[in-house]
Amino acid sequence: MGGVPSTPRFNGGSRPHETAEYLIGAFIGEKSFPLASDYWQKLLELPLNLHWSSDRVQQACLHFAQNNCYTRHLAKILIHLSWCLEECVSTADASSSAYVKALNAVYVSSVFLKHLIENAKTDNFEDLYMSLNESEEIPSNVPKEQSSEHLVVNSVLNFLGRVDVSSDTYLLHYELLNFMLVALSTQLLSGPSLGADDIHPFFDAAMSQPTSLVNLAIRKLLVNYITRPRFPLKASSYYIFSEGYRPGVLQRVGSVAANLVLLPLNFFASSSNEASRSPLADNSLNILLILVHYRKSLGMDHFKDKIDYSSPDSLPKEESFFENPYCKALENARDIEFDRVDVEGNAPGGPVVRLPFASLFDSLGMCLADETSGLLLYSLVHGNSDFLEYVLVRTDLDTLLMPLLETLYNAPRRTSNQIYMVLIILLILSQDSSFNASIHKLVLPSVPWYQERVLHQTSLGSLMVIVLTRTVKYNLSKLRDVYLHTNCLATLANMAPHVHRLSGYASQRLVSLFDMLARKYNKLAEMKNDKMHVLNGESKEENSLQEDTAAELHIYTDFLRIVLEILNAILTYSLPRNPEVVYAIMHRQEVFQPFRSHPRFNELLDNIFMVLDFFNSRMDAQKMDGEWSVEKVLQVIIVNCRSWRVDGLKMFTQLRFTYEQESRPEEFFIPYVWQLVLSRSGLNFSPSRIHLFPADLPLQDNGKEVEKPQKGDMKGNELKIEVPV
């Protein structure tokens, strides 16, 4: 330890610097101090203002890892942290010694716990040695039936849930969230699919907390996200940040050895742009997403007392998972301003989280450029029917939709997972007919981020059509992602029967979408025909290429049919309200002609050509002086829309797409959540130790190059789109 003794010197003549050296040396040393020893009070009450090099800090972590199996100092400091937090909750004085001790305890715990987790040799994390030695005398205030991890998780969640964030409590709140990130990081060392025998001590402890505490924690995490409390720079109680005071050893350990960002000074001296963010809100959201998306199989042992093995019908039909209480709390959250019990007389099952949905809606709208906020919005609209209903009845849907559409518009500077989540959110919203109707009534004065052309007085629905068709075009030329195509077209299909006064530009983009897909289809058809004329005896590789081409051709056949169904739905259900769509089809009618005899398209195209024949004949009957202008053609279409009758068209069942998670959503969401956490929280692991996903690929984060892990095969793994016939 570089000359640091393993036992402390407590005599009053020693200087604080020397005493701190001894106390830290004792913590990592070979001697075990009982829980009731006054050593712990001295360690946690002393201002730890040492300045060690990164090498020395790393050496301290190694010494601790060697000796903790005998001393069990990690379990003991966690128990002391729990006691300090209980005292903090019970006292109203945030400047009390309990807060100082809690801060020191959480600093020490986070640093050395992270080292142990990152270097664990087994998947069951026995190296953490979370239990006390059998010979240890356990004080009466330590419940024997509770493990140290259960005790500390209970105390952390209780403090976070019950103690309000203020200038005096901000730092402890923030450090406890950092501690939870470290404690839950065991998940990085395993795969996303957990069996009944997989052990993650702090996750298991978190999942076994009482419902009332879970609800309290989820509510406070969301309130932190909504209120976005800022670090109180002028708070005198933050002595470690006062002028001329340098960060101490634990801050140094945190930022260098453990790679934890524990509110470094340069963060708050950075640009106003960065300083406008709320680290506390960001970490609250990180913890919430980690807890909500945790998933673990129950295994067959869970059913052994319930299964009659002589009867095959009694066997579980599919793998079962335990009910995540945090996920349930989020799904059952209710609006604090509107209680369903008062209206319907049906109380939900037990206590629920009460939230100001209006404030949550506004906060999401401000933060949706960030991927974590997008994932929170997805979790809410997919899992919480009350929040989804609240969103659908809002008259200012542009608050959420504009940042989502801007994200799609800037797809080249966004991650593929962020694009997928945005498209899924839009698909979920488009499943509601009132949403599809209301977006066409909301007119936007301008769209400043749209660069291709000036968009004035464009409806939100028209903008959605423009951006979705643009996304397909970009994907067609760059990504060639079938799943992305499907999501865009599914949303457009859901919108189609409710389209109202689609703008001229949006109508043109819709017809151009058919043209783009048609050209891709024709190219694939030519490739297939060329390969079919090759002489017999071709290699297996050539056979495989031919099969791939045939499969891709089939996919694009389906895409073309969906676009034709979209156009048919507009013409069938709302032609008089969409003269611009009629004009766009008439203007580009030649792109439909080659497919008129195609067996998959002929019925749909018969309807389109019936509309074309009607309006072309009306155009021919007009006596015109001079050339036709766009305005004159549109005027003829508008006039004749009044006499249009839909009777002659063949009616097709409305194409309706719904979103459904697959049976193992954790294979997508758990790696995705941790990617976001690692790229934003300052908690970094050695890539070689991360087994949850490949962690060595540089990615774009909101337009900035960052080192960010990515799971290359995760796209679409958790997604399913059902198309009712």
Side-chain angles (χ1 to χ4, degrees):
M1 237 338 268
V4 177
S6 60
T7 55
R9 184 173 63 200
F10 294 141
N11 60 345
S14 63
R15 291 175 293 176
H17 177 88
E18 295 174 347
T19 304
E21 289 270 1
Y22 283 116
L23 290 170
I24 292 294
F27 179 73
I28 67 175
E30 299 175 358
K31 181 179 178 179
S32 175
F33 289 88
L35 265 174
S37 170
D38 63 350
Y39 159 76
W40 296 103
Q41 298 302 314
K42 294 181 182 293
L43 172 67
L44 299 180
E45 288 177 351
L46 187 70
L48 300 175
N49 56 353
L50 303 180
H51 305 286
W52 289 354
S53 67
S54 58
D55 290 341
R56 195 176 182 201
V57 169
Q58 181 65 21
Q59 189 182 15
C61 290
L62 293 172
H63 274 273
F64 180 78
Q66 292 171 359
N67 297 322
N68 181 56
C69 57
Y70 309 109
T71 65
R72 305 298 169 100
H73 279 179
L74 175 62
K76 293 173 185 177
I77 199 168
L78 290 179
I79 293 173
H80 276 278
L81 171 59
S82 175
W83 290 343
C84 292
L85 292 175
E86 289 174 6
E87 187 178 349
C88 290
V89 172
S90 62
T91 181
D93 184 9
S95 62
S96 68
S97 62
Y99 274 80
V100 175
K101 290 188 293 183
L103 270 172
N104 283 339
V106 75
Y107 278 145
V108 174
S109 302
S110 297
V111 169
F112 292 102
L113 175 60
K114 180 184 180 295
H115 177 84
L116 292 178
I117 290 174
E118 192 169 13
N119 295 279
K121 297 183 177 64
T122 66
D123 292 338
N124 290 331
F125 300 100
E126 291 100 338
D127 293 351
L128 300 182
Y129 295 100
M130 302 295 295
S131 61
L132 299 176
N133 286 319
E134 293 182 1
S135 59
E136 180 86 30
E137 183 178 347
I138 301 177
S140 59
N141 57 342
V142 178
K144 293 183 179 180
E145 69 278 3
Q146 286 190 1
S147 61
S148 59
E149 61 268 29
H150 187 281
L151 193 64
V152 73
V153 167
N154 180 278
S155 298
V156 170
L157 295 179
N158 191 51
F159 178 89
L160 292 174
R162 295 189 185 278
V163 178
D164 291 334
V165 178
S166 67
S167 60
D168 294 323
T169 65
Y170 183 102
L171 184 59
L172 184 52
H173 272 275
Y174 181 78
E175 292 308 332
L176 289 172
L177 292 171
N178 269 337
F179 168 80
M180 286 298 293
L181 283 180
V182 170
L184 300 176
S185 66
T186 55
Q187 199 168 48
L188 290 168
L189 277 63
S190 63
S193 298
L194 299 179
D197 297 330
D198 291 313
I199 296 175
H200 289 272
F202 293 96
F203 266 112
D204 294 338
M207 296 299 152
S208 63
Q209 298 300 321
T211 301
S212 58
L213 183 57
V214 169
N215 288 347
L216 200 63
I218 286 292
R219 181 185 180 279
K220 180 52 73 72
L221 293 173
L222 283 168
V223 167
N224 288 345
Y225 174 78
I226 292 168
T227 59
R228 313 196 68 76
R230 302 290 169 79
F231 179 78
L233 289 174
K234 297 181 180 179
S236 59
S237 60
Y238 289 93
Y239 62 90
I240 64 171
F241 296 115
S242 60
E243 187 175 355
Y245 198 98
R246 298 176 60 195
V249 61
L250 295 180
Q251 292 92 320
R252 172 70 69 177
V253 170
S255 61
V256 178
N259 294 312
L260 276 171
V261 177
L262 302 181
L263 293 182
L265 286 172
N266 59 3
F267 178 90
F268 299 101
S270 63
S271 68
S272 58
N273 220 10
E274 289 294 325
S276 66
R277 298 185 63 177
S278 170
L280 186 64
D282 293 344
N283 263 7
S284 295
L285 181 54
N286 289 335
I287 295 297
L288 183 141
L289 292 174
I290 291 171
L291 291 173
V292 164
H293 288 286
Y294 179 75
R295 208 160 185 260
K296 186 176 182 178
S297 172
L298 290 172
M300 290 298 293
D301 288 344
H302 179 77
F303 301 96
K304 63 182 179 182
D305 298 330
K306 308 173 186 178
I307 296 176
D308 178 6
Y309 288 94
S310 63
S311 172
D313 293 336
S314 68
L315 296 173
K317 297 297 186 292
E318 58 183 25
E319 189 174 7
S320 298
F321 293 82
F322 87 106
E323 188 173 54
N324 182 329
Y326 299 88
C327 181
K328 183 179 179 181
L330 187 67
E331 290 177 350
N332 292 335
R334 299 289 182 263
D335 189 0
I336 201 169
E337 301 294 336
F338 175 80
D339 194 339
R340 180 177 289 181
V341 179
D342 298 335
V343 178
E344 300 178 356
N346 301 317
V352 296
V353 176
R354 302 285 178 185
L355 291 167
F357 277 6
S359 300
L360 180 56
F361 181 93
D362 292 338
S363 295
L364 284 165
M366 290 188 297
C367 302
L368 278 177
D370 185 80
E371 283 192 74
T372 50
S373 292
L375 186 50
L376 174 61
L377 177 58
Y378 162 81
S379 303
L380 287 166
V381 298
H382 175 255
N384 189 311
S385 57
D386 275 49
F387 186 78
L388 175 59
E389 182 180 336
Y390 176 83
V391 170
L392 293 172
V393 300
R394 288 281 296 228
T395 57
D396 58 343
L397 283 168
D398 54 314
T399 301
L400 291 185
L401 290 185
M402 288 297 279
L404 293 176
L405 295 175
E406 185 176 3
T407 297
L408 288 184
Y409 181 79
N410 292 314
R413 298 197 296 274
R414 299 290 184 258
T415 66
S416 57
N417 289 335
Q418 185 178 14
I419 299 302
Y420 298 146
M421 297 314 302
V422 170
L423 290 173
I424 293 167
I425 291 168
L426 295 178
L427 177 58
I428 292 172
L429 296 176
S430 73
Q431 292 168 197
D432 183 81
S433 57
S434 65
F435 168 84
N436 294 321
S438 61
I439 56 176
H440 291 284
K441 298 174 184 176
L442 202 161
V443 177
L444 307 167
S446 63
V447 185
W449 44 263
Y450 195 88
Q451 300 297 314
E452 278 82 347
R453 66 185 296 161
V454 177
L455 297 179
H456 280 313
Q457 300 299 314
T458 300
S459 71
L460 186 57
S462 293
L463 181 62
M464 275 190 67
V465 171
I466 292 168
V467 173
L468 287 170
T469 54
R470 183 182 183 275
T471 303
V472 174
K473 181 179 180 180
Y474 167 75
N475 181 56
L476 195 62
S477 61
K478 301 290 184 182
L479 302 177
R480 302 186 180 182
D481 184 342
V482 170
Y483 173 73
L484 191 149
H485 278 334
T486 305
N487 270 282
C488 290
L489 295 177
T491 303
L492 289 169
N494 287 345
M495 293 168 58
H498 312 279
V499 166
H500 184 85
R501 297 196 178 280
L502 198 66
S503 71
Y505 183 51
S507 302
Q508 295 167 26
R509 302 311 303 156
L510 203 51
V511 175
S512 294
L513 175 61
F514 180 86
D515 186 34
M516 285 187 291
L517 294 172
R519 283 187 269 121
K520 178 67 175 178
Y521 172 90
N522 289 331
K523 184 177 180 181
L524 289 169
E526 290 175 6
M527 291 172 59
K528 181 184 177 183
N529 290 335
D530 290 343
K531 290 172 183 176
M532 290 180 65
H533 287 94
V534 175
L535 295 176
N536 292 332
E538 65 265 22
S539 66
K540 290 183 179 179
E541 183 178 349
E542 289 171 332
N543 272 329
S544 177
L545 287 173
Q546 184 173 338
E547 290 173 3
D548 290 344
T549 302
E552 194 172 1
L553 184 64
H554 180 75
I555 290 170
Y556 276 89
T557 303
D558 290 340
F559 287 162
L560 280 172
R561 182 173 176 87
I562 292 174
V563 177
L564 289 175
E565 295 237 29
I566 291 169
L567 293 172
N568 260 268
I570 297 173
L571 298 177
T572 302
Y573 298 103
S574 56
L575 184 149
R577 301 190 300 274
N578 290 283
E580 292 282 6
V581 176
V582 175
Y583 175 84
I585 292 173
M586 292 180 67
H587 183 65
R588 300 290 305 279
Q589 54 189 290
E590 73 282 354
V591 303
F592 301 102
Q593 190 65 43
F595 298 93
R596 196 166 185 178
S597 59
H598 194 290
R600 287 288 307 278
F601 308 145
N602 54 4
E603 289 184 325
L604 293 165
L605 281 169
D606 284 347
N607 279 353
I608 289 177
F609 278 99
M610 187 175 295
V611 172
L612 285 171
D613 290 343
F614 176 85
F615 284 97
N616 282 332
S617 65
R618 298 305 187 275
M619 292 284 295
D620 294 339
Q622 293 290 320
K623 294 182 179 179
M624 277 294 301
D625 296 328
E627 297 292 328
W628 283 99
S629 66
V630 174
E631 291 76 14
K632 291 177 180 178
V633 174
L634 263 176
Q635 188 58 40
V636 172
I637 293 172
I638 292 170
V639 169
N640 286 280
C641 277
R642 300 166 189 165
S643 58
W644 164 256
R645 295 292 179 268
V646 75
D647 304 344
L649 296 183
K650 181 174 181 179
M651 303 297 290
F652 294 93
T653 303
Q654 285 188 20
L655 196 61
R656 184 172 179 270
F657 289 76
T658 59
Y659 167 77
E660 180 181 314
Q661 275 190 1
E662 283 194 358
S663 59
R664 304 194 73 92
E666 72 277 7
E667 293 182 0
F668 174 85
F669 284 107
I670 291 177
Y672 182 35
V673 168
W674 275 104
Q675 289 172 35
L676 298 178
V677 169
L678 290 180
S679 69
R680 287 158 171 75
S681 67
L683 174 67
N684 297 312
F685 263 63
S686 169
S688 62
R689 297 294 299 149
I690 296 176
H691 299 152
L692 186 59
F693 47 76
D696 54 355
L697 298 178
L699 287 183
Q700 295 287 337
D701 177 21
N702 294 330
K704 299 178 182 178
E705 189 76 18
V706 294
E707 289 294 323
K708 178 177 174 185
Q710 172 78 4
K711 184 175 176 66
D713 60 349
M714 67 165 56
K715 61 186 180 184
N717 280 355
E718 93 296 358
L719 305 174
K720 180 180 180 181
I721 297 178
E722 294 181 339
V723 189
V725 179

